[in-house]
Amino acid sequence: MLKIRFKDGSQEPVALEAPGKTIGQGGVNDIVIDRKGVNGFHADLKVEGDSVTLTDVNTKIGTMLNGDLIEGPTLVRAGDTIAIGGVELEVFEEQVATESKTLVLSGTALLDIGTGGWSIVVDSGPEKGQVIAVKEKILIGRALECDISILEPELSRRHAELDLIGDELTLKDLGSSNGTYVNADKIAEVVLKDGDVLRFFKVRFVVSAPS
């Protein structure tokens, strides 16, 4: 989960959740900067899915991102620094463990949820050979809230989705930054078949159809 905090630690971090957060001098804002020159409603952080966009609200002193004044809506990522009126805010990512059926492909742990029907078999890393049954919709991504969590920074938080539609297994990319690949082809949405190789950055799976 992306959060934002004052670099000096003067206030508690704020989670960047949809629809977004506002920054300004007024107490009605989600993030309050009580400094001369800061507008009552100074900047807006819009959250849509995995994307966070920073916009300055036509202020005199402007809003800076990583040392540069922004000129329009600008994407914000973990590690970025926002500066307003000399106050620095840091964007960071906090991974929160949840009690769920999450499979964590961290290089050290993979929970096997059984076999039968359609399945995907891990084809890379220490978990190679592990079988993951696909009995319902499965969300794949970097976030621990996903059903299959792949702890690789190159993956989007919500990267792709496996779904059973009738007797067919489909794979859909969820607008990921670096794409989803099947048999070396970048896909948007595809019906899978036995033996297809799925790739999410360096992690690979092989599709196994019902026998």
Side-chain angles (χ1 to χ4, degrees), residues 79-189:
D80 286 345
T81 297
I82 299 168
I84 297 174
V87 175
E88 292 188 328
L89 306 169
E90 180 184 24
V91 179
F92 68 102
E93 184 162 12
E94 180 179 82
Q95 293 282 7
V96 179
T98 58
E99 293 183 3
S100 69
K101 59 184 180 181
T102 301
L103 288 163
V104 180
L105 296 174
S106 62
T108 58
L110 175 66
L111 176 65
D112 190 350
I113 60 175
T115 60
W118 284 97
S119 62
I120 56 174
V121 182
V122 184
D123 193 46
S124 61
E127 299 87 1
K128 186 172 182 178
Q130 291 283 348
V131 178
I132 304 165
V134 183
K135 299 178 181 179
E136 56 186 11
K137 189 176 291 186
I138 289 181
L139 180 63
I140 302 167
R142 191 178 77 249
L144 286 177
E145 294 83 1
C146 293
D147 300 300
I148 297 178
S149 179
I150 302 173
L151 304 185
E152 288 281 0
E154 299 296 327
L155 266 71
S156 297
R157 289 178 57 79
R158 293 168 57 90
H159 195 99
E161 185 178 80
L162 283 165
D163 196 9
L164 279 172
I165 301 176
D167 294 329
E168 293 183 332
L169 179 63
T170 64
L171 176 65
K172 180 180 181 181
D173 182 83
L174 299 178
S176 66
S177 299
N178 293 311
T180 297
Y181 292 80
V182 175
N183 302 327
D185 295 323
K186 188 175 183 180
I187 62 96
E189 185 170 4

